[in-house]
């Protein structure tokens, strides 16, 4: 293939049927915008230059296109006067195109693949045509430009729906919209395209007729996988194409050695990376730049966005964003991993645990019912059930550091900033406000007092009192003190 290839991507149209404040080509499909998918395919053919034609909402479309493909040439088409006009604007913006091949594609065909563009361009160049049409045979050609062939089967024209005769409307070979041109021919044909047609637009497709009239070769190359050139015009089509792309992605991963128990409820974004022997259970979404290592099991009912899951890890019924789960680690069921969570090898973030900016060293465990915000937890440390890392004092966030091999009790509160040393411990219900030295046991709850007989005195006539009575409440006789502790002594309730 020549390296003298220019690709023009048309993305100036309004996309009114999307009924959206977001420009059509920016709507995402499997985690990437529609135009992002097209540019991804375009990049695979290694063009010398890419020109994107923007118009409607270009203040949003242009920066996005530049971000997706740095170095792209932007052409502004103020009024959308037709595809022929759009390509003319593109050629002007590029300062002319010289010799070589020009490929024209649309910005709203997310399933388009680089390999198809490569094969089409190669075929066009090998055949030395002035114009090649990437066509498709479809059951419902309504709305498309039809590829008209003569008695010998040679392509003579593309006729748009509105300009077609009833006989031409019967033709099921359609123009996908993707066209390849000899650059020199295109340059001299563009100014000759008129707008004397049903829509009053400058049709790029008129180039076919112009080439024929000049005695040049034209031809059509049918793409079997017609969905690759299908555009999404409304949100129903967007969902259809999204489901189809997901089906393709899931199938690709299964072929690469990933077990997917239920492809229909498994959603995998384009940029996700999965290792061999990963297992994905039903109801799982792997989004963004998520990476999952060998033998890991993810799901059921799990959403991971931009997460990294290590080899052999298990992530069950979890919602995670920008989190890292180490090799062999365990997460869930019902865990919420927020950005900045890093769980070390063999560690555990268990049931009903929320974490954020939390760094858990290898083997560290937070098994139950906890909030871990802005924390560093050392190797092999176990955090008791129902622990809150109180990281926010109402003004600023602070960090808690727990050393290695610590054992903290249930229902603790770590009031940050605070540090717990290596091998330290805390009693159940401790509110840790001050640093705990290595090896120390911190307890903050006061000594327990039992106010004997309290139930019978204060809850007489209730089921609770009946139960206490039946058990033979030892403090039956009681004192004058009513025993609720208010105004009493720590030994209130004892016999006087
Ligand atoms: C076009 C083709 C038709 C083909 C169909 C495939 C022409 C004349 N017709 O018809 O043969 O079967 O696509 O979908 O080319 N655009 C601009 N600027 C414009 C006009 C269009 O950037 O002035 C962009 C649109 O944003 C869109 C694409 O070009 O992405 C196609 O434009 P559209 O008006 O939808 O063309 P169709 O009538 O569908
Ligand atoms: Ca269209």
């Amino acid at each position: 293939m020549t390296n003298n290839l220019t690709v023009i991507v048309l993305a100036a149209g309004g996309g009114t049927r999307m009924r959206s404040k977001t420009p059509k080509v920016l709507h995402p499909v499997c985690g990437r915008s529609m135009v992002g998918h097209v540019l991804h395919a375009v990049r695979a053919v290694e063009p010398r230059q890419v020109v994107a034609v923007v118009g409607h909402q270009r203040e949003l479309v242009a920066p996005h296109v530049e971000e997706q493909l740095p170095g792209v040439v932007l052409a502004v088409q103020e009024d959308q006067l037709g595809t022929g006009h759009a390509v003319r604007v593109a050629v002007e913006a590029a300062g002319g195109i010289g010799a070589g091949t020009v490929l024209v594609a649309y910005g709203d065909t997310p399933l388009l693949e680089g390999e198809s563009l490569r094969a089409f361009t190669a075929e066009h160049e090998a055949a030395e045509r002035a114009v090649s049409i990437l066509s498709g045979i479809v059951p419902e050609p309504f709305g498309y430009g039809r590829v008209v062939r003569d008695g010998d089967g040679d392509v003579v024209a593309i006729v748009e729906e509105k300009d077609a005769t009833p006989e031409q409307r019967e033709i099921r070979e359609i123009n996908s919209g993707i066209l390849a041109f000899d650059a020199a021919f295109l340059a001299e044909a563009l100014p000759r395209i008129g707008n004397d047609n049903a829509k009053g637009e400058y049709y790029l497709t008129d180039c076919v007729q112009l080439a024929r009239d000049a005695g040049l070769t034209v031809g059509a190359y049918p793409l079997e996988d017609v969905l690759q050139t299908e555009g999404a015009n409304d949100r129903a089509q967007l969902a259809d194409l999204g489901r189809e792309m997901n089906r393709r992605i899931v199938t690709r991963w299964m072929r690469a050695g990933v077990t997917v128990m239920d492809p229909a409820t498994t959603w995998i974004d384009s940029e996700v990376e999965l290792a061999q022997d990963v297992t994905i259970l039903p109801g799982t979404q792997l989004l963004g730049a998520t990476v999952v290592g060998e033998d890991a099991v993810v799901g059921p009912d799990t959403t991971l966005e931009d997460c990294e899951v290590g080899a052999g890890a298990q992530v069950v019924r979890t919602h995670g964003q920008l989190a890292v789960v180490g090799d062999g680690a365990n997460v869930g069921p019902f865990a919420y991993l927020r950005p900045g969570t890093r769980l070390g090898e063999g560690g555990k973030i268990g049931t009903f645990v929320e974490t954020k900016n939390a760094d858990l060293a290898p083997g560290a465990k937070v098994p139950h019912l906890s909030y871990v915000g802005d924390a560093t937890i050392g190797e092999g440390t176990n955090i008791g059930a129902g622990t809150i890392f109180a990281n926010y004092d109402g003004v600023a966030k602070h960090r808690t550091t727990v050393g290695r091999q610590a054992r903290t009790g249930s229902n603790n509160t770590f009031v940050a900033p605070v540090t717990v040393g290596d091998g330290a411990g805390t009693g159940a219900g401790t509110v840790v406000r001050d640093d705990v030295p290595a090896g120390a046991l911190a307890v903050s709850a006061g000594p327990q007092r039992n106010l004997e007989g309290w139930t019978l005195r204060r809850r007489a006539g209730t089921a609770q009192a009946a139960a206490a009575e039946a058990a033979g409440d030892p403090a039956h006789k009681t004192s004058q003190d009513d025993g609720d502790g208010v105004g009493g002594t720590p030994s209130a309730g004892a016999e006087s």
Side-chain angles (χ1 to χ4, degrees):
M1 187 188 317
T2 172
N3 53 6
N4 212 353
L5 175 68
T6 294
V7 181
I8 298 172
V9 177
L10 306 189
T16 42
R17 278 179 286 162
M18 293 298 274
R19 297 189 179 278
S20 177
K21 57 186 169 303
T22 302
K24 173 164 91 168
V25 295
L26 265 51
H27 278 262
V29 177
C30 291
R32 193 189 272 154
S33 68
M34 292 206 272
V35 70
H37 283 289
V38 172
L39 294 172
H40 195 259
V42 162
R43 204 182 350 232
V45 297
E46 297 177 358
R48 180 171 60 83
Q49 63 177 348
V50 178
V51 187
V53 181
V54 297
H56 268 277
Q57 289 182 287
R58 62 173 186 268
E59 67 287 357
L60 297 174
V61 179
H64 178 81
V65 164
E66 280 182 306
E67 191 193 308
Q68 294 286 310
L69 192 72
V72 67
V73 177
L74 288 168
V76 175
Q77 189 191 24
E78 290 291 351
D79 300 307
Q80 283 72 59
L81 304 178
T83 49
H85 179 256
V87 168
R88 204 160 72 201
V89 167
V91 170
E92 281 163 16
I97 36 174
T101 299
V102 177
L103 194 59
V104 177
Y106 298 163
D108 67 347
T109 56
L111 290 169
L112 185 63
E113 285 174 24
E115 177 51 29
S116 304
L117 289 180
R118 199 203 55 72
F120 173 58
T121 308
E123 198 267 350
H124 162 80
E125 289 174 355
E128 299 187 338
R129 297 198 195 97
V131 189
S132 296
I133 304 156
L134 187 63
S135 67
I137 316 291
V138 298
E140 285 288 336
F142 180 81
Y144 286 104
R146 309 297 204 284
V147 176
V148 181
R149 294 176 183 266
D150 64 15
D152 300 328
D154 291 333
V155 174
V156 292
I158 296 173
V159 178
E160 295 303 305
E161 175 80 34
K162 287 192 171 157
D163 303 292
T165 63
E167 297 76 48
Q168 288 170 334
R169 287 190 183 140
E170 297 295 314
I171 299 171
R172 294 193 305 119
E173 183 177 14
I174 56 105
N175 167 29
S176 72
I178 295 175
L179 301 171
F181 296 91
D182 171 68
F185 163 72
L186 181 65
E188 69 89 22
L190 282 174
R192 296 197 287 128
I193 295 175
N195 63 351
D196 182 17
N197 52 52
K199 276 181 150 179
E201 284 186 1
Y202 296 87
Y203 291 164
L204 181 62
T205 46
D206 282 359
C207 285
V208 174
Q209 187 96 56
L210 291 173
R212 283 284 300 197
D213 292 350
L216 300 169
T217 24
V218 302
Y221 173 96
L223 181 66
E224 208 162 305
D225 181 14
V226 290
L227 290 176
Q228 281 193 39
T229 56
E230 198 156 292
N233 294 307
D234 60 30
R235 306 220 199 191
Q237 289 173 343
L238 186 71
D240 287 344
L241 292 180
R243 198 168 46 241
E244 175 59 21
M245 185 178 298
N246 185 62
R247 198 187 62 72
R248 292 176 180 209
I249 292 171
V250 171
T251 303
R252 175 162 59 84
W253 284 119
M254 291 191 292
R255 297 237 157 88
V258 171
T259 295
V260 178
M261 189 182 275
D262 184 15
T265 63
T266 298
W267 291 84
I268 304 177
D269 273 358
S270 306
E271 278 162 38
V272 168
E273 290 287 338
L274 306 175
Q276 201 176 307
D277 287 317
V278 162
T279 296
I280 304 175
L281 299 176
T284 294
Q285 296 172 285
L286 301 178
L287 309 178
T290 293
V291 178
V292 183
E294 198 166 291
D295 296 323
V297 180
V298 182
D301 301 329
T302 292
T303 298
L304 299 179
E305 186 177 0
D306 299 324
C307 288
E308 217 179 295
V309 177
Q314 306 233 5
V315 182
V316 183
R317 293 187 204 279
T318 291
H319 189 94
Q321 269 179 301
L322 284 165
V324 179
V325 175
D327 292 354
N330 249 281
V331 178
F334 306 107
Y336 180 19
L337 311 180
R338 292 169 54 199
T341 296
R342 301 182 68 88
L343 175 60
E345 187 176 339
K348 182 180 178 76
I349 292 175
T351 311
F352 299 114
V353 175
E354 174 181 346
T355 59
K356 187 215 72 178
N357 283 335
D359 212 317
L360 282 74
K365 296 188 162 82
V366 185
H368 330 274
L369 299 159
S370 295
Y371 171 63
V372 184
D374 300 303
T376 302
I377 300 174
E379 192 182 324
T381 285
N382 189 82
I383 302 296
T387 294
I388 304 297
F389 285 69
N391 57 333
Y392 185 52
D393 61 12
V395 180
K397 302 276 173 72
H398 303 282
R399 205 161 178 90
T400 296
T401 303
V402 182
R404 45 187 295 272
Q405 298 296 350
R407 301 284 180 269
T408 70
S410 296
N411 197 29
N412 277 199
T413 302
F414 293 102
V415 183
V418 76
T419 298
V420 177
D422 293 347
T426 62
T430 302
V431 178
V432 182
R433 297 177 189 278
D434 300 317
D435 290 354
V436 181
L441 176 73
V443 283
S444 71
Q448 176 174 326
R449 294 176 300 149
N450 294 335
L451 310 181
E452 291 184 356
W454 184 91
T455 300
L456 287 178
R457 284 194 309 280
R458 304 296 298 244
R459 294 290 181 267
T462 64
Q464 183 188 5
E469 189 149 35
D473 180 344
H476 214 147
K477 326 121 223 183
T478 81
S479 66
Q480 292 303 94
D481 188 318
D482 72 358
D484 66 359
V486 177
T489 65
S491 59
E495 288 189 49
S496 49

